[in-house]
Amino acid sequence: MAILNFPSKGQRLDQFSDIQAFLEARGIWHDKWEAAAALPREASQDEILGAYEHVLGPFMAKGGYKTADVINVHEHTPDLLGVRKKFLAEHTHSEDEIRFFVHGEGLFWFHLNEEVFSVLCQAGDLLSVPAGVKHWFDLGPKPFVKSIRVFIDKAGWVPQYTDSGIDLAFNPTY
C-alpha cells in the first residue's frame, strides 16, 4: 500500500483513492496490481520478468512499450552505495518511467513546480512518472526492492540529472 508524504506540511495520505486522485491531478498515474509471485531474494531479471509476464505482456502491448528491466536491490547488491547515489539525484527521463513494485519498497520523490512530495511504493504499486517530471528514488535505510521498469526504448532509461540540489534538502543520511 502506497503512502503519500508532504514533508514541508507534515502531512500524509494513506488511502489508495486519495493518493490516486492527488497523483492523477498532477499527471502521475498510479494503480494496484497483484504482486504475489514467490521469488527468491536474489531472483534474476529473467525470473522476475517471467513471473509477471501474464500481466506485463498485455500491458506492454497495449501501451506500445518495447522493453522492461528489473531493479533488484538488496543488502548484497554490488556497489550498493553507488547504486543508491545514482537514484538519489534529481533527474528526468525522455519518456515515461513505469515501475511495478513486486517486492520490498522504495520512496519516489517528486519535484513539481514548487511542490515536493514523496510516494512510498510497496509490492503491488504501479506508478508512471511522466517524461520530463523531476524525480528521484530513495532505496531506504535497509535497501530491498524488486521493481520492473517499463519503457518504449532503452534510451528512455537514461537519466538527465538536473543538478538543482533540491534533493539534498530531502534525502536522509543513512
Side-chain angles (χ1 to χ4, degrees), residues 73-111:
V73 181
H74 47 81
E75 70 274 7
H76 301 297
T77 298
D79 190 25
L80 181 58
L81 291 177
V83 171
R84 187 170 183 278
K85 184 178 178 183
K86 177 179 72 170
F87 289 146
L88 276 175
E90 184 186 68
H91 61 278
T92 64
H93 294 283
S94 61
E95 63 176 87
D96 296 353
E97 176 185 0
I98 299 168
R99 279 209 198 183
F100 170 46
F101 289 79
V102 299
H103 207 199
E105 64 182 27
L107 191 62
F108 256 108
W109 285 90
F110 294 92
H111 175 203

Side-chain angles (χ1 to χ4, degrees), residues 17-54:
S17 60
D18 295 339
I19 295 168
Q20 191 177 42
F22 176 87
L23 294 174
E24 186 175 298
R26 287 149 182 83
I28 300 167
W29 184 66
H30 179 239
D31 202 2
K32 293 294 274 180
W33 280 6
E34 181 72 27
L39 296 163
R41 190 170 190 83
E42 294 186 15
S44 72
Q45 176 166 288
D46 289 341
E47 289 172 312
I48 295 168
L49 291 173
Y52 291 98
E53 174 58 31
H54 65 286

